[in-house]
């Protein structure tokens, strides 16, 4: 993916080199934290503990694993990192290719301002130091989908360095305990994406798509194992992992493979591997893609150093269109997810895992907050309805929050009716189901059309109870003979007769009174 | 009319003494007559005539676009021209037709200039003779001048004059020959280590290399991105200023162009008085290889300034002797990188081998590039290898900084302009030139010019006088970065003092057929 964070489209990438401190023992035995380090030539990976495959038998050492991630994320931008051509998902192959993208001789890169802003924002969100001056480099290799023979990246002096991301890992019996973790970010760099190769083995052909807007995320994982207290092991790099699930599987597999290899007297080669997701294993990549001699990184001569400003260094009278102000970007930074989650827990007494759910579904938090704004109902009630009922309906029909037929206002009104005891919980569910049909009726209209109001008239309810008792003498008899559970049957019968409009507590009270009289 | 300067012919067009179409046809006919010079790789006759027609309409309607409207120009064949083949004189790009115009080409067209064609060069501009392109060497028009031929007759040792033709210098030799032989009024060259100034000196022209960042490189097929600059070849300094005025300025497509406002157009004042000027003479440029004639003219030029009241100082550029080696490392490294895109996949030459992608790359590049290009790619990749990077590339970058600082220090000491030779000697015969290989020649011929590219400064070669053999000799002025106008103003004053003679090609033009007859054996098949 080249494009996620910002609008970088197809060609931009963010590389995050995170390095994590101590990993933790995981039930499956994989270290949770990843870490990262740079791709090549970095010796100092953090010392980390921990990973034990099974209980060490006598005479056996524990193993520790070190994991570093190189994350390629596509910036969400309208045009590419270095050219004006558009970025659009699933556009026809080679339909969004400028002369520069095709590397026609004489073309030059022009840096996309939006991508720089996105990189700065990402750096700020990840607690990085933003370099006021950063440089671009060329990384050379011959490959058919790399038409210039080099990739423009930021190797020597990237836009952001030394950051960290704090997150929580759920643990405990019910996964209800959240253990805080911190992963260190080594650097964030802007990088041009390569094209896409499609190999047609049947015809021995390779087709190239230079649109370069592929997925959303791609991760290379660097993994090694060693005995705690001893030098770090030789690492391997598992390339092109494109989902979190495969990433975890690949890391687990590779750690175990390395341990097995070493315990059987083998050795680990410093090599590039790929993850086979059907077989669930990693395999050595023996082709060119695996072993490339990048030559050394040469400065990109066509892009001057990227200079950023802050409030103190901004030159007087600078054209805002010509300069990028870090402080200005900081002001536009939205509340970060960690802060939001803490706020939700504190403000609404919500469980932490509920706050995760609210944030993980696009638009759900906003929906929740809009409901809260408009209803008198308790936040806990709102949380429960949004996470259980509302999210349940969405999931069942595979809809996004934005596609929901129920608006926050409608749900708020519904919860108000419930809160004011105008309707029962059961009736509320019915109303919600009606709302989901999207016929444009308000909860109030539905309640009155269907006559779902709670029966507030005690006299009529007493009358109804009386009729039910008379119609079911056998049940009354049971009850009088000492079967206390029989009263539930009577309550159910009364509720049914009221079409769930009566408060069960009031029914019970009336019935008990009548029975004892 | 053909012998006039751009400014003169521009005035003639405005006054209606000649129409753009008449002018265009005269130039086209002269291009045909001088075909044996091998100055052009492609002659864009139809395009030029159509442009002339449009220009003519504008003049009739009183809507001329300015000084360049209707003026025939030529462009070195390493500038992209939309719809017109752009070869870099290489097999690799034979048949390559760019879909866009280089910014400088577009600017010339926007001002109404007529594009006569694409001029010859050393393959990918790598060379100092214009002898190493796939379309054959360019011949120096001065080989056929009255001035040179008369001197040859006096020399009892001279051999067959027709096989003893001279090189133009390079790598923009085609552009130099095109202007020198009157087939156009100005031409674009490119200048990475002296490729515009060197042939200008050998062909008796003004050859101007602007400050790096003043003129867009977008569309110039690169040799060394950090040193390349579009160059201007004209018959006089005022003409160079007119063309610079049309080309200079920031380009959103080239992030290395500068945004600071510059005075446009570049109107050059006529200096009446040089007494406030300080001219620097770099002592390190007095090398043993310098011919006595050039040395003597250099010294006379310094005397001239001094006698007219200017202050003339000896200055030191202490890192000069490391410059050529440093240039070689940086140049070949960028070449290795820039040439990587020529892999036969998308454009240009592709070999017949399809065993594997790698085999196809290798054969395509072997067939597509000549020895010089391949040699520079190999050297460059060697310098970029991880184990060599620090020892070569990084060191060379540091030396480059020292060289740039040398100039800064000289200018900070009060010097306005530096005065140096452009070349070691006048143009040599082709047969003499090819006794040495391209690399040796480039190292010798770029000696006075490449340091300027490493420092990004403006420099101009001005023809000074004819040598004893009747051949032009040029001297170089170097200015402060972005003080291009000041530099050209001084050059204009100097040009006026020296009164360099016009090339006398009448005989050649009257008797082209005879020349062509004699040239048959030596000439190479032309692609037009």
């Amino acid at each position: 993916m080249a494009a996620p964070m910002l609008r970088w489209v197809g060609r931009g990438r963010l590389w995050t080199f995170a390095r994590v401190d101590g990993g933790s023992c995981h039930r499956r035995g994989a270290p949770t934290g990843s870490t990262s380090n740079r791709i090549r030539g970095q010796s100092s990976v953090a010392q980390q503990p921990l990973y034990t495959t099974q209980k060490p038998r006598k005479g056996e050492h524990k193993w520790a694993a070190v994991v570093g991630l190189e994350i390629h994320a596509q910036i969400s931008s309208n045009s590419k990192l270095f050219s004006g051509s558009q970025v659009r998902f699933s556009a026809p192959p080679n339909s969004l290719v400028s002369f520069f993208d095709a590397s026609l001789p004489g073309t030059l890169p022009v840096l996309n301002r939006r991508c720089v802003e996105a990189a700065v924002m990402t750096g700020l969100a990840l607690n990085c130091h933003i370099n006021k001056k950063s440089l671009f480099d060329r990384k050379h290799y011959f490959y058919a989908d790399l038409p210039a023979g080099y990739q423009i990246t930021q190797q020597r002096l990237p836009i952001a360095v030394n950051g960290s991301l704090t997150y929580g890992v759920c643990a405990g019996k019910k996964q209800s305990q959240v253990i805080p973790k911190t992963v260190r970010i080594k650097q964030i760099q802007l990088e041009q994406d390569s094209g896409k190769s499609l190999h047609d083995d049947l015809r021995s052909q390779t087709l190239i798509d230079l649109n370069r807007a592929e997925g959303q995320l791609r991760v290379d994982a660097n993994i090694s194992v060693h005995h705690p207290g001893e030098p770090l092991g030789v690492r391997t790099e598992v390339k092109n992992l494109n989902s979190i699930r495969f990433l975890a599987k690949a890391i687990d597999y590779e750690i175990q493979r390395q341990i097995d290899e070493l315990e059987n007297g083998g050795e680990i080669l410093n090599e590039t591997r790929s993850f086979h997701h059907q077989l669930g294993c990693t395999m050595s990549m023996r082709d060119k893609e695996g072993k490339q001699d990048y030559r050394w990184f040469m400065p990109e001569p066509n892009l001057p150093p990227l200079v950023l400003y802050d409030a103190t260094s901004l030159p007087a009278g600078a054209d805002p269109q010509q300069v990028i102000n870090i402080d200005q970007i900081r002001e536009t930074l939205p509340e970060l997810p960690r802060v939001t989650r803490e706020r939700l827990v504190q403000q609404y007494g919500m469980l932490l895992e509920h706050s995760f759910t609210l944030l993980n579904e696009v638009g759900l938090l906003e929906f929740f907050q809009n409901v809260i704004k408009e209803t008198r109902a308790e936040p806990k009630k709102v949380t429960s309805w949004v996470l259980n009922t509302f999210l349940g309906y969405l999931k069942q029909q595979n809809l996004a929050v934005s596609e929901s037929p129920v608006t926050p206002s409608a749900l708020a009104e519904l919860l108000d009716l419930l809160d004011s005891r105008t309707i029962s919980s059961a009736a509320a569910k019915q109303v919600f189901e009606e709302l989901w049909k999207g016929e444009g009726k308000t909860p109030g209209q539905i309640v009155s059309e269907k006559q779902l109001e709670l029966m507030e008239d005690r006299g009529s309810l007493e009358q109804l109870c009386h009729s039910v008792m008379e119609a079911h003498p056998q049940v009354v008899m049971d009850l009088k003979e000492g079967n206390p559970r029989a009263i539930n049957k009577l309550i159910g019968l009364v509720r049914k007769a009221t079409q769930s409009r009566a408060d069960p507590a009031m029914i019970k009270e009336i019935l008990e009174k009548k029975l004892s009289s | 009319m053909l012998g006039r300067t751009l400014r003169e012919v521009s005035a003639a067009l405005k006054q209606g003494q000649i129409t753009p179409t008449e002018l265009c046809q005269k130039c086209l006919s002269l291009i045909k007559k001088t075909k044996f010079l091998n100055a052009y790789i492609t002659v864009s006759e139809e395009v030029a005539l159509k442009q002339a027609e449009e220009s003519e309409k504008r003049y009739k309607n009183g809507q001329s676009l300015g000084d360049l409207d209707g003026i025939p120009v030529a462009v070195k064949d390493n500038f992209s021209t939309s719809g017109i083949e752009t070869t870099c004189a290489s097999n690799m790009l034979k048949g390559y037709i760019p879909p866009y115009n280089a910014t400088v080409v577009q600017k010339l067209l926007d001002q109404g200039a007529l594009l006569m064609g694409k001029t010859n060069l050393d393959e990918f501009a790598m060379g100092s003779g214009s002898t190493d392109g796939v379309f054959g060497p360019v011949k120096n028009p001065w080989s056929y001048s009255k001035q040179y031929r008369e001197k040859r007759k006096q020399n009892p040792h001279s051999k067959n004059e027709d096989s003893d033709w001279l090189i133009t210098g390079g790598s923009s030799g085609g552009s130099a020959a095109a202007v020198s032989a009157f087939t156009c009024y100005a031409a674009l060259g490119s200048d990475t280590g002296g490729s515009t100034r060197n042939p200008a000196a050998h062909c008796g022209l003004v050859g101007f290399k602007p400050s790096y960042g003043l003129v867009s490189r977008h569309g110039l097929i690169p040799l060394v991105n950090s040193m390349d600059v579009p160059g201007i070849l004209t018959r006089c300094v005022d003409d160079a200023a007119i063309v610079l005025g049309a080309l200079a300025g920031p380009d959103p497509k080239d992030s290395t162009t500068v945004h600071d406002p510059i005075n446009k157009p570049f109107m050059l004042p006529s200096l009446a008085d040089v007494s406030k000027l300080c001219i620097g003479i770099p002592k390190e440029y007095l090398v043993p290889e310098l011919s006595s004639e050039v040395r003597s003219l250099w010294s006379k030029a310094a005397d001239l300034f001094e006698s007219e009241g200017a202050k003339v100082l000896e200055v030191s550029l202490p890192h000069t002797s490391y410059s050529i080696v440093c240039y070689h490392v940086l140049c070949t490294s960028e070449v290795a990188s820039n040439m990587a895109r020529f892999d036969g996949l998308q454009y240009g030459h592709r070999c017949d081998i399809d065993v594997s992608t790698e085999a196809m790359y290798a054969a395509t590049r072997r067939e597509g590039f000549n020895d010089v290009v391949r040699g520079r790619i190999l050297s460059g990749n060697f310098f970029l290898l991880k184990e060599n990077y620090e020892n070569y590339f990084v060191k060379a970058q540091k030396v480059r900084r020292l060289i740039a600082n040398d100039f800064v220090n000289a200018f900070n000491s009060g010097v306005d302009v530096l005065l140096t030779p452009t070349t070691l000697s006048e143009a040599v015969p082709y047969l003499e030139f090819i006794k040495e290989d391209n690399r040796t020649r480039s190292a010798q011929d770029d000696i006075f010019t490449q340091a300027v590219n490493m420092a990004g400064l403006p420099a101009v070669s001005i023809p000074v006088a004819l040598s004893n053999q009747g051949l032009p000799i040029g001297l170089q002025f170097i200015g402060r970065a972005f003080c291009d106008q000041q530099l050209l103003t001084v050059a204009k004053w100097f040009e006026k003092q020296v009164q360099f003679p016009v090339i006398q090609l009448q005989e050649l033009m009257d008797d082209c057929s005879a020349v062509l007859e004699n040239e048959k054996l030596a000439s190479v098949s032309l692609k037009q």
Side-chain angles (χ1 to χ4, degrees):
Chain A
M1 320 173 283
M5 316 229 172
L6 311 181
R7 115 183 166 154
W8 203 324
V9 179
R11 297 180 120 198
R13 273 187 200 162
L14 279 179
W15 300 65
T16 303
F17 296 106
R19 197 179 298 151
V20 183
D21 281 334
S24 59
C25 277
H26 195 279
R27 276 182 308 175
R28 289 178 311 173
T32 18
S34 323
T35 359
S36 155
N37 195 357
R38 279 176 31 44
I39 334 186
R40 46 188 65 238
Q42 208 71 10
S43 53
S44 65
V45 185
Q47 26 260 239
Q48 325 252 307
L50 343 133
Y51 161 81
T52 331
T53 18
Q54 57 242 78
K55 277 189 187 152
R57 275 171 256 149
K58 226 181 181 181
E60 270 190 347
H61 286 92
K62 280 187 173 181
W63 287 100
V66 177
V67 179
L69 303 181
E70 185 180 311
I71 301 166
H72 306 225
Q74 187 181 338
I75 294 177
S76 156
S77 61
N78 297 328
S79 60
K80 295 179 180 162
L81 180 56
F82 295 124
S83 81
S85 50
Q86 286 184 0
V87 177
R88 189 151 30 84
F89 186 70
S90 74
N94 296 310
S95 61
L96 305 174
V97 179
S98 71
F99 299 148
F100 173 80
D101 301 329
S103 298
L104 291 195
T107 53
L108 301 169
V110 177
L111 186 57
N112 182 335
R113 178 191 174 92
R114 166 76 187 118
C115 294
V116 176
E117 290 171 342
V120 170
M121 191 174 266
T122 308
L124 292 172
L126 293 172
N127 290 314
C128 290
H129 169 75
I130 308 294
N131 280 323
K132 298 251 180 73
K133 177 181 160 187
S134 61
L135 303 173
F136 291 92
D137 304 292
R138 291 181 178 180
K139 179 168 113 181
H140 298 91
Y141 60 98
F142 279 105
Y143 204 71
D145 58 21
L146 188 71
Y150 57 82
Q151 197 172 17
I152 303 177
T153 182
Q154 295 196 293
Q155 171 67 16
R156 295 165 300 157
L157 191 52
I159 192 162
V161 295
N162 297 338
S164 66
L165 173 66
T166 301
Y167 60 101
V169 175
C170 293
K173 275 187 189 161
K174 291 181 169 177
Q175 295 281 296
S176 56
Q177 192 189 350
V178 177
I179 302 170
K181 294 274 173 192
T182 299
V183 64
R184 284 182 284 156
I185 316 283
K186 184 172 192 300
Q187 65 187 61
I188 297 178
Q189 60 195 63
L190 285 160
E191 182 175 287
Q192 174 186 26
D193 206 356
S194 60
K196 188 161 70 176
S197 294
L198 299 168
H199 303 287
D200 180 349
D201 292 334
L202 211 60
R203 283 176 233 177
S204 295
Q205 281 183 340
T206 297
L207 304 173
I208 309 291
D209 180 7
L210 295 178
N211 281 358
R212 315 176 196 212
E214 293 167 44
Q216 296 279 310
L217 183 77
R218 208 180 73 238
V219 181
D220 301 334
N222 284 264
I223 300 152
S224 71
V225 300
H226 67 288
H227 294 303
E230 292 180 10
L232 298 178
V234 174
R235 73 187 152 78
T236 59
E237 182 178 13
V238 184
K239 285 189 97 77
N240 295 333
L241 297 160
N242 56 13
S243 82
I244 301 288
R245 201 159 59 90
F246 292 153
L247 173 63
K249 281 191 171 178
I251 292 171
D252 285 354
Y253 177 88
E254 185 59 16
I255 290 171
Q256 190 60 55
R257 184 191 71 83
Q258 292 189 11
I259 292 172
D260 292 348
E261 189 74 36
L262 292 169
E263 290 190 340
N264 291 326
E267 63 174 336
I268 303 302
L269 302 175
N270 180 205
E271 62 179 354
T272 307
R273 301 178 69 87
S274 62
F275 179 67
H276 193 296
H277 54 84
Q278 275 143 354
L279 302 177
C281 66
T282 66
M283 291 183 292
S284 181
M285 292 166 76
R286 302 202 186 277
D287 64 348
K288 294 274 164 8
E289 217 176 341
K291 287 205 166 180
Q292 277 150 5
D293 176 5
Y294 293 123
R295 279 165 271 165
W296 207 227
F297 291 83
M298 190 188 89
E300 167 55 63
N302 296 315
L303 290 168
L306 171 57
V307 177
L308 307 173
Y309 298 91
D310 59 17
T312 56
S313 64
L314 195 68
D319 177 356
Q321 289 307 307
Q322 294 294 328
V323 297
I324 289 182
N325 184 339
I326 300 168
D327 290 330
Q328 214 170 4
I329 294 174
R330 198 191 310 274
E331 283 166 22
T332 65
L333 202 63
E335 184 178 66
L336 296 176
R338 183 178 52 80
V339 179
T340 310
R341 285 193 294 263
E342 281 168 9
R343 185 169 53 79
L344 289 172
V345 169
Q346 213 168 14
Q347 197 171 340
Y348 303 121
M350 182 183 294
L351 289 176
L352 189 57
E353 61 254 43
H354 288 166
S355 71
F356 272 97
T357 313
L358 272 184
L359 264 72
N360 287 350
E361 192 70 34
V362 176
L364 193 60
L365 175 65
E366 199 189 354
F367 187 94
F368 169 82
Q369 285 172 324
N370 286 334
V371 177
I372 285 269
K373 247 185 262 170
E374 298 185 32
T375 185
R376 292 185 302 271
E378 287 291 305
K380 278 191 179 170
K381 187 64 107 185
V382 178
T383 307
S384 161
W385 272 79
V386 168
L387 292 185
N388 298 326
T389 315
F390 177 69
L391 191 57
Y393 271 77
L394 286 178
K395 294 276 174 207
Q396 203 180 5
Q397 301 191 17
N398 203 17
L399 295 177
V401 175
S402 59
E403 295 166 317
S404 158
V406 176
T407 63
S409 305
L411 182 56
E413 188 187 335
L414 173 59
L415 294 177
D416 278 349
L417 293 172
L418 188 60
D419 186 64
S420 62
R421 304 176 54 83
T422 307
I423 56 173
S424 67
S425 285
K429 295 264 158 70
Q430 263 180 275
V431 174
F432 189 85
E433 200 173 328
E434 283 300 311
L435 283 174
W436 197 262
K437 291 180 184 162
E439 288 167 353
K441 292 176 191 160
T442 66
Q445 285 168 344
I446 294 170
V447 167
S448 68
E449 271 176 27
K450 303 228 162 210
Q451 302 189 327
L452 294 170
E453 298 94 340
L454 275 179
M455 289 182 64
E456 299 285 357
D457 180 357
R458 193 177 171 101
S460 344
L461 195 57
E462 282 180 357
Q463 186 63 45
L464 204 58
C465 286
H466 186 73
S467 318
V468 169
M469 284 168 73
E470 288 206 328
H472 297 87
Q474 193 58 48
V475 182
V476 176
M477 193 67 75
D478 279 2
L479 196 59
K480 288 188 169 161
E481 281 171 6
N483 180 358
R485 263 181 280 168
I487 195 164
N488 291 339
K489 182 149 192 191
L490 281 180
I491 295 172
L493 288 165
V494 176
R495 284 191 68 194
K496 200 174 171 191
T498 64
Q499 291 175 308
S500 298
R501 290 158 54 216
D503 179 358
M506 193 189 278
I507 298 173
K508 193 177 177 196
E509 185 217 331
I510 294 171
L511 285 174
E512 279 171 348
K513 208 168 168 185
K514 281 189 184 294
L515 286 165
S516 62
S517 62
Chain B
M1 193 63 72
L2 289 176
R4 295 188 187 187
T5 66
L6 189 159
R7 169 151 296 182
E8 288 162 357
V9 83
S10 181
L13 283 167
K14 285 173 193 161
Q15 288 158 17
Q17 292 169 15
I18 189 168
T19 69
T21 304
E22 286 165 0
L23 191 59
C24 184
Q25 278 163 343
K26 278 179 194 287
C27 286
L28 285 169
S29 123
L30 198 49
I31 288 173
K32 282 172 195 154
K33 281 185 185 173
T34 59
K35 191 174 168 181
F36 66 91
L37 292 175
N38 208 8
Y40 288 82
I41 291 174
T42 303
V43 179
S44 45
E45 180 167 351
E46 277 179 32
V47 172
L49 285 169
K50 188 154 181 293
Q51 289 164 341
E53 201 179 305
E54 284 161 15
S55 171
E56 195 149 335
K57 274 185 213 154
R58 289 192 294 269
Y59 274 107
K60 273 185 188 151
N61 297 334
Q63 294 168 327
S64 151
L65 297 170
D67 289 344
L68 289 177
D69 203 345
I71 303 289
V73 299
V75 171
K76 189 176 180 180
D77 206 24
N78 59 351
F79 287 94
S80 302
T81 43
S82 180
I84 300 173
E85 189 180 4
T86 299
T87 68
C88 288
S90 175
N91 275 327
M92 187 57 93
L93 282 181
K94 267 189 191 168
Y96 169 64
I97 299 177
Y100 73 102
N101 278 325
T103 297
V104 285
V105 171
Q106 191 60 50
K107 284 189 170 186
L108 287 176
L109 299 181
D110 290 346
Q111 304 265 331
L114 317 180
L115 179 59
M116 309 309 290
K118 303 296 291 292
T119 59
N120 204 348
L121 64 156
D122 289 300
E123 184 162 333
F124 281 101
M126 298 182 202
S128 59
S130 300
T131 52
D132 281 330
V134 73
F135 301 109
V138 186
K139 293 170 184 171
N140 192 327
W142 284 85
S143 318
Y144 310 98
S145 69
K146 193 175 165 197
Q147 291 105 320
Y148 178 62
R149 295 199 160 202
E150 281 178 356
K151 296 280 184 184
R152 300 284 299 172
K153 278 178 201 157
Q154 295 163 13
N155 183 347
H157 302 297
S158 70
K159 299 171 225 157
N160 177 348
E161 60 185 26
D162 290 326
S163 68
D164 218 10
W165 51 271
L166 309 153
I167 60 147
T168 53
S171 64
S172 312
S175 288
V179 178
S180 175
F182 304 121
T183 65
C184 61
Y185 292 86
L188 294 185
S190 61
D191 195 313
T192 308
S195 281
T196 293
R197 290 160 285 158
N198 175 291
H202 287 330
C203 295
L205 299 173
V206 170
F208 176 55
K209 172 217 172 290
S211 295
Y212 185 87
L214 184 59
V215 178
S216 170
R217 293 178 293 112
H218 172 253
L220 166 60
I221 298 177
L223 175 56
V224 183
N225 299 115
S226 65
M227 302 187 204
D228 292 341
V229 178
I232 299 166
L233 291 131
T234 54
R235 290 181 203 135
C236 69
V237 176
D238 270 332
D239 289 359
I242 290 172
V243 177
L244 179 64
L247 303 184
D251 178 9
K253 292 174 182 159
D254 177 357
S255 309
T256 63
T257 51
V258 295
H259 283 265
D260 295 328
I262 36 172
N263 297 326
K264 284 180 82 172
F266 284 81
M267 291 295 288
L268 301 179
S270 292
L271 273 188
D273 173 18
V274 291
S275 63
K276 292 201 177 96
L277 267 186
C278 181
I279 306 291
I281 309 291
K283 63 178 182 187
E284 290 82 3
Y285 281 52
L286 185 58
V287 294
E289 300 87 351
L290 188 63
S291 80
S292 57
E293 276 187 288
V294 176
R295 185 175 155 182
S296 147
L297 283 169
W298 183 22
S299 152
K300 276 187 194 160
D303 291 346
L304 171 67
F305 276 101
E306 202 161 35
S307 66
E308 293 293 322
K311 194 168 157 191
V312 178
L313 285 182
E314 184 181 88
V315 297
S316 175
L317 302 171
H319 298 93
T320 298
S321 61
Y322 307 110
S323 193
I324 270 284
V325 176
C326 171
Y327 174 79
H328 178 71
V329 173
L330 295 176
C331 171
T332 56
S333 298
E334 279 200 40
V335 162
S337 177
N338 287 332
M339 295 291 146
R341 72 188 58 212
F342 300 105
D343 56 15
L345 275 179
Q346 298 190 84
Y347 41 76
H349 178 71
R350 186 194 290 188
C351 70
D352 296 329
I353 294 169
D354 60 358
V355 192
S356 72
T357 310
E358 288 73 27
M360 190 276 283
Y361 286 161
T364 294
R365 291 164 68 80
R366 187 175 61 243
E367 294 166 11
F369 294 137
N370 69 5
D371 288 350
V372 176
V373 178
R374 289 209 305 278
R376 290 203 193 182
I377 291 172
L378 283 173
S379 315
N381 279 330
F382 175 83
F383 298 136
L384 288 176
L385 284 177
K386 195 173 172 183
E387 64 262 37
N388 295 331
Y389 190 77
E390 282 289 326
N391 282 337
Y392 292 93
F393 188 78
V394 171
K395 276 212 176 109
Q397 281 189 306
K398 289 177 180 169
V399 175
R400 178 180 185 172
R401 174 58 58 126
L402 293 175
I403 288 164
N405 286 347
D406 281 354
F407 285 106
V408 171
N409 294 338
F411 289 121
N412 284 348
S413 73
V415 166
D416 296 304
V417 169
L418 294 168
L419 173 62
T420 78
T422 309
T423 56
L424 289 167
S425 66
E426 76 271 70
V428 298
Y430 176 71
L431 295 174
E432 187 68 28
F433 186 80
I434 59 172
K435 284 179 185 165
E436 300 279 6
D437 66 24
N438 179 295
R439 195 177 149 211
T440 311
R441 279 296 180 192
S442 298
Q444 289 168 352
D445 296 337
D446 293 343
I447 185 162
F448 301 128
T449 47
Q450 40 69 40
V452 163
N453 296 77
M454 294 212 280
L457 306 175
V460 62
S461 178
I462 302 294
V464 181
L466 295 182
S467 68
N468 290 334
Q469 288 196 79
L471 292 175
I473 289 175
L475 290 176
Q476 171 177 244
F477 292 92
I478 302 169
R480 289 190 181 95
F482 299 105
C483 293
D484 300 57
Q485 189 171 20
Q486 181 195 30
L487 173 73
L488 290 177
T489 304
V490 174
K492 180 178 169 180
W493 178 87
F494 182 71
E495 174 187 58
K496 194 177 168 196
Q497 311 302 310
V498 297
Q499 291 293 315
F500 180 76
V502 173
I503 183 171
Q504 292 175 24
L505 282 180
Q506 206 47 50
E507 213 176 314
L508 170 68
M509 299 197 203
D510 293 344
D511 194 19
C512 272
S513 50
V515 177
L516 281 167
E517 234 10 66
N518 293 332
E519 287 295 329
K520 259 183 191 158
L521 285 175
S523 74
V524 190
S525 70
L526 285 184
K527 198 169 177 297
Q528 289 189 355

